[in-house]
Amino acid sequence: MSASKTSPQPRSTANASQTGGRQVVWTLVASAVAGLTAYYSSFSRQATSISTLPSSYALCADGQRIYTVDSSRPTVDCILVEKHSIAATGTLGEVQAFWDDYQNELIRKFYGNEPSAKKPLPVYNAPADAIIVPGLADAHAHIVQYGFKMQLRLDQARSLSELLDLLENHVRAHPPDPDTWIEAMGWDQTRWSDTDGTFPTSADLASRPSLASLPIALHRVDVHALWLSPKAVALTKAHLDGTFPDSVPGGEIVRDPTTGTPTGIFVDAAMSLVPIPKWSAAQMREYADRTVQDALAVGLTSIHDAATSVAEFELFQQMDEEGKLPIRVYAMVDSDRLSPEERKDIEIHDPSPAAHVRMRSVKLFTDGALGSWGAALLAPYSDKPDTRGIMRLPEDALSEQVREWWDKGWGVNVHAIGDRANKAVLDAFEQISRSATHQHEVAQRRPRIEHAQIMRVEDLKRSGQLGVLTSVQPTHATSDMWYAESRLGPERIKGAYAYQTLLQSSRDGVLPLGSDFPVEGINPLLGFYAAVARLDTEGKSPHGEGGWYPSERLTRAQALKGMTLDAAHASFAEDTLGSLMPGKRADFVVLDRDIMDESRPFADILEAKVKATVIDGKVAFGGI
């Protein structure tokens, strides 16, 4: 790859002097057969398009601007790609020497020491200032749901009025049948400038004449609350044979305190009462295709899909069989969406750590989310003393389900936001560890807490002692920081979003990072920025420009490892993915600037762009 954006060129003798006098290796060894010589000479002189890069090549970023996440050699000048894997790293001289030895060995084995059989090594340069990092992974995301959210961006509204305008514009542009549900995602009442931060109501939707008679179901940004129009409430009531239940285990139908009638907000398990039509296969494919496209554009090569239905898993398999799934998907089967028959028959699918579709973990849910007052707390909310949140799975039921899946051989990953929920998950894993045949069985099986958001200080350390991985999302901290302390108070906040503490407590120094997209943005550099700066995208925090609780920042090296090697470790793939070292897959990203340079301002991270995303040694997005 060269400085040309559309036509990357092998290094030539003409530019050798510009790169420190490097001799370009693009000639055949002596005594070449005429036909082979003509072929290779012709190939070396033409502009090689991105889509026809050779199966073997060296890529260099002079000045050790390749960040390998290999502790034995953290930065190098060049990597050597042989087919789908990294064959060598180091200086250009070192990778060339490796290539020569490799070619000589092949020639001796297959060609009887015929020098003309030796193949040349194309060498490409990353552009000035660019860096190369391992392929970026999102350790917690939702693939199909992201594509769905992008159909109607409720998260763009900064007031209730703006959101209603968005809906009205959507209805005008896509006139619905009166019985067709309008479904969207992304509202967040804590960000609206024209309300007091309380939940909206059905009456708010009915305030606009064009919306009043339509069945509308709007998912909150965290997907733990559903906001219904009056028509949708009526359809839900009819679906329930005309009566709403007084209570919902693991959920809540929010009611008017005076009249007792539903306000239009259904939280957590109560959302399952609403008869929203299921997405068709065509819709799911459209949503997944959009996500893959956007993921490649921001440098994602692996995604842990953190609640996969059987239908979604079959969709991923179909896309892979069609050659339309360049990214690697590590799926966690969604326990909540399994039918009894599926729960009985579902099997682990893990052909290899390099496979583009794998499923060897199950996702369980303990509680709701902080933004909807659903995170399960040990003591009442500081800003809502009448509630402690929602345990979707009480402690005994959680322990039973963890044991059930554990005994079947599955990895067990559990959603836990509040301190009560996190304690319950750790208690369940600790019970298993006490009865484990092998002392380190729990750590070997790599159970995960997804979010680990609010924990008792002693549980921050206990997670590491047990070998439980804490899979966190740095942008949750910077999204929630404006209201989190008012919800939790000054003491509980000490155990919240404590990423550096969790990393230091980890038995193996592992902290997988994700985004939870579409709850947050899909760009992993937003998470990188949030992890190292603890600021919002405007450079602000409740504690000023120094960052929110800055002692919990990650270093840039820690953040990069969290979204590469640590994410690979969390999916049992660290020997195959996650770093640029010999023997691993050639998944890497070319960025247009050095986000790893500690001297650069944090804001520069947000300006970084992906020049190319490479998977299995082939360019899947972009060009240089």
Side-chain angles (χ1 to χ4, degrees):
M1 298 179 183
S2 72
S4 169
K5 183 175 183 180
T6 57
S7 299
Q9 298 271 0
R11 296 186 184 190
S12 66
T13 305
N15 68 10
S17 62
Q18 298 173 6
T19 58
R22 285 178 171 171
Q23 181 179 3
V24 177
V25 183
W26 197 222
T27 57
L28 293 175
V29 181
S31 304
V33 175
L36 283 174
T37 303
Y39 171 77
Y40 283 119
S41 297
S42 173
F43 180 69
S44 68
R45 286 196 297 266
Q46 60 186 320
T48 308
S49 71
I50 283 294
S51 62
T52 57
L53 283 171
S55 61
S56 302
Y57 58 90
L59 175 63
C60 298
D62 297 340
Q64 298 205 330
R65 289 182 289 115
I66 299 179
Y67 293 87
T68 65
V69 193
D70 174 6
S71 59
S72 66
R73 204 164 193 182
T75 57
V76 296
D77 284 339
C78 302
I79 55 175
L80 172 60
V81 175
E82 167 64 3
K83 295 181 180 177
H84 51 63
S85 298
I86 302 292
T89 66
T91 65
L92 178 59
E94 287 172 329
V95 300
Q96 181 64 64
F98 178 93
W99 178 256
D100 289 342
D101 290 344
Y102 171 65
Q103 287 291 298
N104 289 336
E105 183 179 346
L106 290 179
I107 289 169
R108 285 193 296 270
K109 186 174 181 179
F110 296 107
Y111 297 99
N113 289 324
E114 173 56 55
S116 63
K118 188 173 183 179
K119 292 183 179 180
L121 177 65
V123 181
Y124 300 93
N125 269 329
D129 298 326
I131 67 169
I132 299 166
V133 298
L136 301 176
D138 194 311
H140 184 114
H142 304 279
I143 293 173
V144 176
Q145 289 73 17
Y146 170 86
F148 157 67
K149 178 187 177 182
M150 298 304 287
Q151 308 304 300
L152 179 53
R153 298 289 305 278
L154 300 184
D155 60 324
Q156 294 180 338
R158 288 295 174 263
S159 68
L160 173 60
S161 178
E162 281 185 21
L163 185 142
L164 297 175
D165 289 343
L166 280 173
L167 285 172
E168 284 197 302
N169 291 337
H170 177 79
V171 168
R172 284 194 212 95
H174 308 89
D177 182 281
D179 295 323
T180 300
W181 285 71
I182 296 174
E183 187 183 9
M185 175 192 167
W187 60 272
D188 183 352
Q189 83 285 359
T190 69
R191 297 188 177 189
W192 292 342
S193 59
D194 56 353
T195 70
D196 60 3
T198 57
F199 278 139
T201 67
S202 293
D204 292 319
L205 292 171
S207 68
R208 300 292 178 96
S210 64
L211 306 177
S213 62
L214 298 175
I216 302 173
L218 306 178
H219 298 264
R220 192 181 185 277
V221 65
D222 55 23
V223 204
H224 285 270
L226 195 60
W227 173 21
L228 303 183
S229 65
K231 178 69 175 291
V233 172
L235 290 173
T236 301
K237 184 176 182 180
H239 176 70
L240 298 171
D241 297 326
T243 305
F244 288 107
D246 292 332
S247 62
V248 180
E252 180 187 4
I253 300 173
V254 178
R255 300 175 185 270
D256 183 281
T258 302
T259 65
T261 57
T263 66
I265 295 294
F266 289 63
V267 182
D268 287 309
M271 296 188 298
S272 65
L273 303 176
V274 183
I276 304 172
K278 291 184 177 181
W279 297 332
S280 68
Q283 283 176 305
M284 289 199 301
R285 179 60 184 263
E286 178 187 353
Y287 299 156
D289 285 341
R290 170 63 187 271
T291 304
V292 169
Q293 171 189 328
D294 287 4
L296 292 172
V298 293
L300 287 172
T301 61
S302 298
I303 296 174
H304 299 192
D305 193 67
T308 310
S309 69
V310 171
E312 289 166 349
F313 182 69
E314 291 172 347
L315 170 62
F316 300 150
Q317 288 183 303
Q318 178 187 345
M319 294 173 67
D320 188 31
E321 290 168 1
E322 294 174 0
K324 299 295 179 62
L325 189 69
I327 61 174
R328 306 184 197 278
V329 176
Y330 177 78
M332 310 174 202
V333 62
D334 183 353
S335 63
D336 280 3
R337 288 192 285 168
L338 288 176
S339 69
E341 194 65 25
E342 289 170 339
R343 191 181 189 92
K344 175 183 175 183
D345 295 338
I346 195 165
E347 295 180 351
I348 291 171
H349 177 81
D350 192 11
S352 78
H356 283 240
V357 181
R358 303 167 62 213
M359 185 167 66
R360 62 175 291 174
S361 296
V362 64
K363 171 77 174 298
L364 306 178
F365 294 84
T366 55
D367 65 344
L370 187 69
S372 50
W373 292 278
L377 302 180
L378 292 165
Y381 277 81
S382 297
D383 64 345
K384 196 175 183 181
D386 61 339
T387 184
R388 299 186 182 201
I390 297 170
M391 281 293 283
R392 293 173 63 174
L393 272 180
E395 282 82 351
D396 289 346
L398 172 65
S399 184
E400 289 176 7
Q401 288 206 27
V402 168
R403 172 62 74 176
E404 173 192 348
W405 289 101
W406 188 274
D407 289 344
K408 291 179 180 179
W410 287 79
V412 182
N413 305 342
V414 190
H415 164 109
I417 300 286
D419 54 8
R420 178 182 172 187
N422 278 286
K423 178 182 182 298
V425 177
L426 291 176
D427 287 346
F429 286 133
E430 188 166 7
Q431 288 177 17
I432 289 177
S433 70
R434 288 173 184 162
S435 60
T437 303
H438 304 290
Q439 182 178 359
H440 300 295
E441 182 182 347
V442 169
Q444 290 170 351
R445 292 278 290 276
R446 301 178 193 178
R448 294 166 54 167
I449 296 180
E450 302 299 321
H451 306 306
Q453 202 160 295
I454 304 152
M455 302 177 76
R456 301 183 305 165
V457 172
E458 57 266 39
D459 283 340
L460 296 172
K461 296 181 179 179
R462 185 160 66 122
S463 63
Q465 292 167 349
L466 289 172
V468 175
L469 301 181
T470 49
S471 171
V472 301
Q473 300 75 44
T475 44
H476 282 351
T478 52
S479 292
D480 297 356
M481 62 185 176
W482 300 103
Y483 65 84
E485 191 158 355
S486 67
R487 297 257 159 112
L488 300 174
E491 287 304 312
R492 274 187 300 209
I493 199 67
K494 295 175 182 178
Y497 313 92
Y499 304 142
Q500 187 62 241
T501 299
L502 285 170
L503 178 59
Q504 296 306 317
S505 299
S506 169
R507 177 181 295 185
D508 298 313
V510 171
L511 187 70
L513 302 184
S515 69
D516 202 12
F517 75 68
V519 175
E520 305 283 357
I522 195 172
N523 186 351
L525 295 187
L526 292 172
F528 185 95
Y529 167 83
V532 302
R534 305 276 291 196
L535 297 167
D536 67 14
T537 55
E538 297 179 354
K540 299 176 182 178
S541 84
H543 296 163
E545 296 180 357
W548 189 53
Y549 291 100
S551 63
E552 294 296 345
R553 284 178 180 158
L554 300 180
T555 68
R556 299 188 192 216
Q558 289 169 340
L560 181 62
K561 181 171 175 281
M563 57 182 55
T564 53
L565 188 58
D566 289 356
H569 177 93
S571 61
F572 303 88
E574 74 276 12
D575 293 333
T576 303
L577 308 173
S579 60
L580 300 177
M581 57 188 300
K584 291 195 176 185
R585 289 287 173 144
D587 294 0
F588 56 87
V589 179
V590 182
L591 297 172
D592 69 353
R593 68 196 67 201
D594 192 351
I595 64 170
M596 302 301 292
D597 184 351
E598 296 284 356
S599 68
R600 293 199 179 199
F602 292 134
D604 198 45
I605 297 168
L606 298 174
E607 300 298 321
K609 299 293 186 296
V610 172
K611 303 290 288 185
T613 302
V614 177
I615 301 175
D616 285 328
K618 300 183 182 301
V619 175
F621 168 82
I624 302 175

